[in-house]
């Protein structure tokens, strides 16, 4: 993909579509006709033609629910409502394998640091542990409601899962110990910790740096810190968002996180104090937000829900990946391509590529080109990651 | 001890509820000029006086009148006292009866009783009045209906203060949700909010045609605002007003309400208010400066009050100099009223059998100059003969075909009522009248049908109004013309034509294919020739820049197409000011150039700014709720700003009055444009560096804050060293070699081997 921010000096006032690719084909960028005008008033062209085109990963038949890179970034995991989990090589988009076994929409997936174990949660009320290399299902935990979110802790010794509140069962957060010895089939059936968060149900979660402290996002828009041992709420930010928190992704060092919400806003929070550091206000409900390592950008994706789209005009849906400057809180670019709302975005841990998965069932894998890294928008400044 | 009822002290209650009788003489009038009579005729006289008063709408009873008697002579004294129920009645009677002719010899002279007393006690010595401080305008304020605003604060402000803006910026108003905002529009750095008034509960806003006032339509009536602080300037109490129209010179205002006027009991009376005589009417004409009501009209036609026809707005059409206002009674006549009296001109309407519509001829710059010269010479008296006489007002009307008579378009001089030119037309379905804004040309778009009345085609009858005998030239077209527009101050026009079968039966999702054509007057032959046709467009709106030359074609009101095309019609000409001489040498139609295209999804309106430099498009939530908001483009189609705001309703540029510079001064400015532009360029450069400096500072601050927070949070988590347990970094250090096979087909050759 081509995202050249090199010429954005002195400032970029309006978001503009930086990329015009159609679905997987090579798009032709036509430069606007520049009328004969005095030289000084000619507008600069902000994009450059690049040979890099997005890779369209077609392996799902229904909408994507979550994408995840492994720690090295060479593998990309995707899960979808079609019961399948796919593994892809991120360098060329080739499918490395599938993980078959779930009997319901797979809502969530996570991989440990060593890329040894994969954990997934689905609407068949199961949480499954997989062998990444062989695709073998190592262990299955069964609950009374579907699993909406799973997460490994930093060293892969614990797994947390959030189950849905339904049929009289409250939303529950469970933490399991993962026995990493042997082939991984010998797991404890009972959770290490179990508690029901008070108030509105949790939708997203992650382990923080501090052991036994987790960060959660809720349907009410609340972001909170819980102690998993006691189930006690340590810190809360009641009005972090005004609507359903749809995604929560941690920074590489887990000191801050970005949350997205259906209230059209994404925010960066401090994971210790939950204080709001940055706010990115867009005009469409957001389903996912990701941080770009090494570069000061955040990636936001979303779109109007298909059911609220009456006039099916592509423009209306706002199905673009939006790039915002992390520090200046300004939108710097958009990448088009999907024809359904973007459900999930993941960025390569080294920041060299990103993938977006959408309601349309496609994953679009974009490798950033040279100019993305070389660009010094707004002048050369040193921004800490 | 028991108390009886009589013992209770009621004095406090009595004091509280005591009725205060009005014992002043304010309700007493002195009527002079009554005939001197003797006793025998007294009764008859009193009855007659009562009758006279009642006739004027202020009924009195005989016992209210007291006639003083000169007992010595046995005759009345020729004046009398009349008592009224209250002060308001007395004031009304004073206004109505003063100078009232009682009979051939006697005329009433009415005074207030208190005034007579005052005049009597008047100090006879002259006292020099103290000179009041000069205040240019004072607006009357009435205590009713609107909160009283301190009088002192609305005066002194210049109503055209915005024109003195140092950066020469234009203004526009936006109305979104319940909020009105007035913005300055200039370069991005100069665009700023001018004011955000807290006007409440109104339908919509409108600028007056010269931009002096902004009007808001409330339940109670229209309110005008203006001046640099947007103070209330005037109001017109027309309840439930729905539509307004200003006269071209901003002297008068026409208001319309779908509800007929009802004047409730006890409503305030006076020149500014609707009176019982106006009941049942819908249209009111007001004087803007004084706020007085001039006249009301009814829109209901006598013969068919039930037949609800689409209201034509403006219902009253103003002559360009504000001297006349006319309205058409379809099929019967055109009534022209003089201003400011609002009397029917010549005491009779123009009776025209079958008249459908008419239009006044606009006043060109030349006419305006002539009119001014006329006015000057008229005041000089003697010099009147030398000045060229200004062109008389003109109006054009058309009548449809009836039995044996062809349809007819007539050009009429006014006030002379002389028919200047008539043209007969056949097989006419409909006519539309389009004046060029300088009054040089008139185009009558005639929709004609074939003999079978099955298909419709179009003729353009173009009158060259400045030439002798008003020559007419016809442009015949095969297709239906949906839009026509003259170039302002120009000799060109653009039309949108279509032969799409879907035309006329619009449906959802149907976008009608159209062709856009430009025509220009060819001077040698004196006819209009096609410059160029742009085929298979979807454009349905033509918007010429107010300065001419540039034109925007837009697709408005479609849910699937929303394209804007920016065209330049004099692309080859360097200086627009000298184009007349050159154009003939150029190849015909070669100067047309597309400058740019743009897209504003689901736009509903397109409007040029008064300077012709910028174009605004907006999508109003009155029409639909998709991506409401507005965008401003420059004349080449480059986007300047775009605001998507839900519940966005209105965007209007503030109009500018005509320039005060004379032709010579304008020429001088054009000549020295390079000189002027140099100073502007310097300003721009200085400002740019200033702005970017500010921005750089802001960004630096943001980065510093971010970096400080990052250092702090890292220190909190990982200790001072900023290092964490190294297992992760170690893991990264181990590099893994991956071998990747890449197959690439370089060439494929098919060989046929012959045995």
């Amino acid at each position: 993909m081509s995202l050249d921010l090199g010429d954005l000096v002195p400032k970029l006032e309006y978001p503009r579509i930086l990329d015009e690719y159609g679905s997987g084909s090579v798009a032709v960028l036509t430069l606007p006709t520049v009328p004969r005008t005095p030289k000084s008033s000619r507008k600069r062209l902000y994009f450059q033609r690049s040979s890099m085109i997005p890779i369209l990963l077609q392996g799902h038949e229904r909408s994507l629910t979550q994408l995840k890179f492994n720690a090295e970034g060479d593998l990309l995991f995707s899960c979808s409502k079609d019961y399948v989990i796919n593994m892809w090589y991120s360098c060329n988009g080739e499918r490395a394998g599938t993980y078959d076994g779930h009997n319901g929409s797979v809502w969530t997936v996570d991989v440990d640091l060593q890329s040894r174990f994969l954990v997934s949660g689905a609407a068949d009320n199961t949480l499954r542990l997989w062998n990444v290399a062989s695709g073998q299902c190592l262990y299955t935990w069964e609950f009374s409601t579907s699993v909406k979110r799973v997460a490994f802790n930093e060293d892969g010794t614990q797994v947390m899962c959030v189950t849905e509140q339904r049929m009289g069962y409250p939303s529950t957060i469970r933490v399991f110990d993962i026995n990493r010895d042997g082939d991984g089939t010998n797991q404890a059936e009972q959770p290490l910790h179990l508690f029901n968060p008070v108030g509105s149900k949790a939708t997203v979660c992650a382990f923080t740096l501090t052991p036994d402290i987790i960060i959660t996002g809720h349907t009410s828009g609340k972001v909170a810190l819980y102690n998993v041992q006691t189930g006690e709420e340590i810190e809360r930010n009641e009005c972090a968002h005004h609507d359903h928190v749809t995604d929560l992704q941690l920074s590489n060092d887990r000191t801050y996180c970005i949350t997205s919400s259906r209230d059209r806003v994404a925010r960066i929070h401090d994971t210790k104090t939950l204080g709001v550091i940055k706010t990115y206000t867009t005009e469409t409900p957001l389903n996912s937000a990701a941080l770009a390592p090494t570069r000061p950008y955040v990636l936001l994706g979303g779109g109007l829900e298909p059911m609220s789209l009456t006039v099916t005009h592509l423009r209306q849906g706002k199905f673009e990946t939006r790039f915002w400057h992390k520090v200046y809180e300004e939108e710097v670019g958009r990448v088009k391509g999907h024809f359904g709302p973007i459900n999930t975005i993941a960025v390569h841990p080294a920041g060299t590529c990103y993938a977006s998965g959408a309601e349309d069932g496609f994953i679009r894998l974009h490798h950033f080109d040279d100019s993305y890294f070389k660009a010094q928008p707004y002048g050369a400044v040193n921004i800490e990651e | 001890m028991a108390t009886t009822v009589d013992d209770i002290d009621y004095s406090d209650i009595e004091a509280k509820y005591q009725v205060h009788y009005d014992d002043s003489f304010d309700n007493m009038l002195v009527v002079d000029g009554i005939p001197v009579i003797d006793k025998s005729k007294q009764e008859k006289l009193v009855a007659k006086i009562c009758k006279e008063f009642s006739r004027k709408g202020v009924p009195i009873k005989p016992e209210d009148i007291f006639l003083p008697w000169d007992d010595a002579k046995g005759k009345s004294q020729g004046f009398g006292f009349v008592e009224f129920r209250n002060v308001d009645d007395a004031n009304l009677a004073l206004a109505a009866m003063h100078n009232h002719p009682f009979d051939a010899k006697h005329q009433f002279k009415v005074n207030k009783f208190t005034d007579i007393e005052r005049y009597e006690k008047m100090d006879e010595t002259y006292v020099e009045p103290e000179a009041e401080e000069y205040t240019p305008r004072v607006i009357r304020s009435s205590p009713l209906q609107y909160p009283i605003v301190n009088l002192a604060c609305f005066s002194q402000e210049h109503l055209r203060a915005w024109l003195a803006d140092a950066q020469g910026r234009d203004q526009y108003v936006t109305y979104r949700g319940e909020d009105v905002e007035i913005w300055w529009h200039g370069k991005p750095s100069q665009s700023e909010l001018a004011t955000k008034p807290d006007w409440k509960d109104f339908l919509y806003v409108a600028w007056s045609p010269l931009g002096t006032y902004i009007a808001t339509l409330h339940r109670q009536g229209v309110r005008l605002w203006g001046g640099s602080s947007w103070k209330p300037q005037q109001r017109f109490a027309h309840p439930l007003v729905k539509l307004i129209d200003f006269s071209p010179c901003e002297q008068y205002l026409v208001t319309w309400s779908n509800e007929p006027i009802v004047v409730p009991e006890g409503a305030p009376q006076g020149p500014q208010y609707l009176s019982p005589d106006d009941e049942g009417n819908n249209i009111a004409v007001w004087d803007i400066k004084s706020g007085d009501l001039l006249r009301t009209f009814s829109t209901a036609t006598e013969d068919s009050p039930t037949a609800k026809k689409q209201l034509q707005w403006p219902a009253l059409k103003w002559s360009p100099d504000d001297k006349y206002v006319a309205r058409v009674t379809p099929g019967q006549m055109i009534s022209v009223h003089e201003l400011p009296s609002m009397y029917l001109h010549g005491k009779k309407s123009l009776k025209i059998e079958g008249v459908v519509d008419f239009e006044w001829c606009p006043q060109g710059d030349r006419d305006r100059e002539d009119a001014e010269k006329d006015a000057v010479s008229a005041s000089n008296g003697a010099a009147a003969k030398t000045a060229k006489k200004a062109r008389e007002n003109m109006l054009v009307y058309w009548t449809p075909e009836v039995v044996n008579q062809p349809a007819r378009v007539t050009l009429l001089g006014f006030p002379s009522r002389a028919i200047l030119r008539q043209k007969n037309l056949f097989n006419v379905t409909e006519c539309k009248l389009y004046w060029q804004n300088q009054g040089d040309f008139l185009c009558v778009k005639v929709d004609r049908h074939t003999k079978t009345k099955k298909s419709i085609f179009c003729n353009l009858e173009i009158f060259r109004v400045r030439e002798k005998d008003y020559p007419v030239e016809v442009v015949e077209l095969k297709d239906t013309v949906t839009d026509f527009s003259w170039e302002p101050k120009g000799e060109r026009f653009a039309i949108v034509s279509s032969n799409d079968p879907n035309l006329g039966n619009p449906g959802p999702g149907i976008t009608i294919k159209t062709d856009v054509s430009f025509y220009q007057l060819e001077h040698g032959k004196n006819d209009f020739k096609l410059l160029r046709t742009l085929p298979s467009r979807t454009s349905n709106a033509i918007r010429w820049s107010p300065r001419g030359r540039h034109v925007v074609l837009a697709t408005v009101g479609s849910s699937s197409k929303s394209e804007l095309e920016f065209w330049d019609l004099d692309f080859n000409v360097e200086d627009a000011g000298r184009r007349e001489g050159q154009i003939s040498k150029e190849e015909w139609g070669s100067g047309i150039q597309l400058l740019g295209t743009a897209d504003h999804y689901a736009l509903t309106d397109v409007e040029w700014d008064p300077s012709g430099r910028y174009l605004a498009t907006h999508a109003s939530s009155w029409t639909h709720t998709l991506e409401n908001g507005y965008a401003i483009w420059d004349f080449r189609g480059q986007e300047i700003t775009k605001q998507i705001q839900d519940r966005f309703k209105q965007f209007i540029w503030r109009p500018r009055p005509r320039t005060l510079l004379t032709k010579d001064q304008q020429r001088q400015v054009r000549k020295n444009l390079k000189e002027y532009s140099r100073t502007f360029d310097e300003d721009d450069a200085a400002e740019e560096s200033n702005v970017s400096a500010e921005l750089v500072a802001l960004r630096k601050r943001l980065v510093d804050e971010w970096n400080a927070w990052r250092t702090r949070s890292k220190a909190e988590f990982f200790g001072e060293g900023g290092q964490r347990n190294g297992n992760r970094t170690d893991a990264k250090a181990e590099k893994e070699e991956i071998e990747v096979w890449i197959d690439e087909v370089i060439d494929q050759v098919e060989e046929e081997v012959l045995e």
Side-chain angles (χ1 to χ4, degrees), chain A residues 178-247:
Chain A
I178 298 296
N179 179 7
R180 301 185 68 84
D181 300 330
D183 58 1
T185 49
N186 182 22
Q187 301 295 345
E189 197 194 329
Q190 289 306 315
L192 185 63
H193 306 296
L194 181 154
F195 70 96
N196 304 319
V198 287
S200 80
K201 67 179 183 191
T203 53
V204 290
C205 64
F207 282 99
T208 64
L209 276 174
T210 329
D212 294 332
I213 306 282
I214 60 156
I215 182 166
T216 56
H218 297 255
T219 45
S220 67
K222 177 174 81 168
V223 173
L225 286 178
Y226 284 94
N227 184 331
V228 289
Q229 284 183 336
T230 59
E232 171 199 1
E233 194 178 78
I234 301 166
E235 197 76 59
R236 60 176 359 191
N237 187 348
E238 203 57 74
C239 44
H241 289 286
H242 302 296
D243 202 349
H244 204 111
V245 178
T246 49
D247 197 8

Side-chain angles (χ1 to χ4, degrees), chain B residues 342-358:
Chain B
M342 281 309 280
Y343 291 143
L344 204 55
H345 179 263
K347 294 203 170 115
K348 60 175 190 263
S349 302
L350 292 154
K351 288 257 190 291
I352 303 153
E353 194 67 37
V355 62
V356 177
D357 197 12
F358 76 102

